[in-house]
């Protein structure tokens, strides 16, 4: 069982669809993160949750809506996306302190048509 | 967080040591230096981190300059599995809460058989 599991691994959606990405961690961590990785661009930190509370929103458009029901699960709800939102979305978790290493999932590859 | 500068790409022969440089001339006294790497089609993985002293672990060594304005990640014997993008990231230990890491463009390491 891997530490951080993301589903689905691949997703294709139209601009009017609503879909969700799911992340689950089995490491007992307190902090969870969403990153976006577009082609030929650095990883962009999107959202951070620490003890289920959102502590960072890095100027992400409202068409991306995160949800963290507990410390083990993190969702990214998607609606009315644009083709430029096509990217690899990576989830990570950590102990929640400033030195704790981040453990990443394998990512969800999103294509918006 | 302070900015880091890394070469875009480097090459190494298999089974030879690799020295990956990182410049961080604007580092503050409370910034930790983190290194992550991202293998093809995977999420990033933690490699090593340090503050002032050189650090060793099973994956690599981190050599930090005395003035802390630069650091070097050392892979003692490169293998084909070490081909990846290596990221050098600064993290302010003065910030509380989760370990928000802002990735740059990194160094793409190619290992030649």
């Amino acid at each position: 069982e891997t530490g951080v599991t993301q589903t689905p691994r691949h997703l294709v959606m139209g601009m009017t669809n609503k879909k969700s990405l799911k992340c689950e961690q089995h490491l007992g961590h307190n902090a969870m993160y969403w990153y976006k990785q577009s082609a030929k661009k650095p990883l962009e930190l999107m959202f951070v949750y620490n003890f289920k509370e959102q502590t960072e929103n890095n100027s992400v458009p409202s068409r991306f809506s995160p949800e963290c029901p507990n410390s083990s699960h993190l969702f990214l709800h998607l609606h009315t996306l644009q083709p430029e939102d096509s990217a690899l979305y990576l989830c990570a978790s950590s102990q929640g302190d400033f030195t704790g290493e981040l453990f990443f999932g394998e990512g969800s590859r999103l294509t918006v048509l | 967080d302070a900015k880091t500068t890394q070469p875009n790409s480097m090459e190494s022969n298999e089974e030879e040591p690799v020295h990956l440089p990182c410049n961080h001339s604007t580092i503050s006294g409370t910034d930790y230096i983190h290194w992550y790497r991202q293998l093809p089609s995977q999420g990033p993985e933690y490699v090593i981190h340090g503050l002032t002293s050189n650090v060793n672990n099973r994956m690599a060594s981190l050599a930090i300059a005395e003035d802390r304005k630069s650091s070097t990640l050392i892979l003692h014997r490169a293998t084909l599995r070490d081909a990846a993008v290596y990221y050098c990231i600064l993290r302010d230990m003065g910030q509380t809460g989760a370990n928000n890491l802002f990735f740059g463009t990194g160094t793409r390491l190619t290992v030649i058989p």
Side-chain angles (χ1 to χ4, degrees), chain A residues 31 33 35 37 42-43 45 48 50 56 58 90 94 96-102 104-106, chain B residues 32 34 36 38 41 43-44 46 49 87 91-93 95 97-105:
Chain A
Y33 312 74
Y35 280 85
Q37 188 169 35
L43 277 83
L45 179 62
V48 181
N50 200 18
E56 177 100 17
N58 198 23
L90 289 157
S94 75
D97 62 32
F98 59 85
T99 62
E101 63 179 274
L102 267 64
F104 282 84
E106 294 187 306
Chain B
Y32 273 84
H34 294 252
Y36 280 73
Q38 187 171 19
S41 303
Y46 169 83
H49 77 276
Y87 299 97
R91 169 69 170 129
D92 184 359
M93 66 178 278
Q95 289 186 293
N99 194 12
N100 302 7
L101 295 181
F102 292 87
F103 287 73
T105 53

Side-chain angles (χ1 to χ4, degrees), chain A residues 11-19 78-83 110-113:
Chain A
L11 177 63
V12 179
M13 60 186 289
M15 290 190 286
T16 58
N17 292 157
K18 288 185 180 181
K19 297 285 185 183
L78 316 168
H79 60 98
T80 59
L81 295 191
Q82 305 298 312
L110 172 67
T111 302
V112 182
L113 301 176

Side-chain angles (χ1 to χ4, degrees), chain B residues 40-63:
Chain B
S41 303
Q42 294 188 27
E45 65 175 347
Y46 169 83
V47 178
I48 201 166
H49 77 276
L51 183 62
T52 55
S53 304
N54 294 344
V55 184
N56 300 295
N57 66 21
R58 62 174 181 81
M59 288 182 70
S61 295
L62 176 59

Side-chain angles (χ1 to χ4, degrees), chain A:
Chain A
E1 182 178 81
T2 57
V4 180
T5 305
Q6 291 189 241
T7 54
R9 293 293 311 280
H10 299 272
L11 177 63
V12 179
M13 60 186 289
M15 290 190 286
T16 58
N17 292 157
K18 288 185 180 181
K19 297 285 185 183
S20 296
L21 305 180
K22 179 183 175 182
C23 177
E24 184 174 1
Q25 57 97 0
H26 310 278
L27 301 168
H29 289 161
N30 301 315
M32 296 189 77
Y33 312 74
W34 279 117
Y35 280 85
K36 174 184 177 183
Q37 188 169 35
S38 305
K40 301 183 180 180
K41 290 177 71 174
L43 277 83
E44 300 171 62
L45 179 62
M46 300 175 72
F47 300 104
V48 181
Y49 279 82
N50 200 18
F51 292 96
K52 300 190 298 178
E53 298 297 318
Q54 187 180 121
T55 56
E56 177 100 17
N57 176 338
N58 198 23
S59 303
V60 180
S62 59
R63 58 186 183 270
F64 294 92
S65 175
E67 178 190 1
C68 188
N70 54 61
S71 292
S72 299
H73 293 86
L74 183 65
F75 294 89
L76 188 63
H77 303 300
L78 316 168
H79 60 98
T80 59
L81 295 191
Q82 305 298 312
E84 59 264 29
D85 296 321
S86 299
L88 181 68
Y89 289 85
L90 289 157
C91 173
S93 70
S94 75
Q95 283 288 5
D97 62 32
F98 59 85
T99 62
E101 63 179 274
L102 267 64
F103 290 80
F104 282 84
E106 294 187 306
S108 293
R109 172 74 61 187
L110 172 67
T111 302
V112 182
L113 301 176

Side-chain angles (χ1 to χ4, degrees), chain A residues 37 41-43, chain B residues 6-10 20 35-45 47 73 81-88 103-110:
Chain A
Q37 188 169 35
K41 290 177 71 174
L43 277 83
Chain B
Q6 300 177 252
N8 288 333
S9 61
M10 290 184 64
L20 297 163
W35 283 83
Y36 280 73
R37 71 179 186 180
Q38 187 171 19
L39 280 65
S41 303
Q42 294 188 27
E45 65 175 347
V47 178
L73 180 71
R81 279 204 70 253
D82 292 320
V85 179
Y86 287 78
Y87 299 97
C88 169
F103 287 73
T105 53
T107 296
R108 181 174 298 278
L109 175 67
T110 301

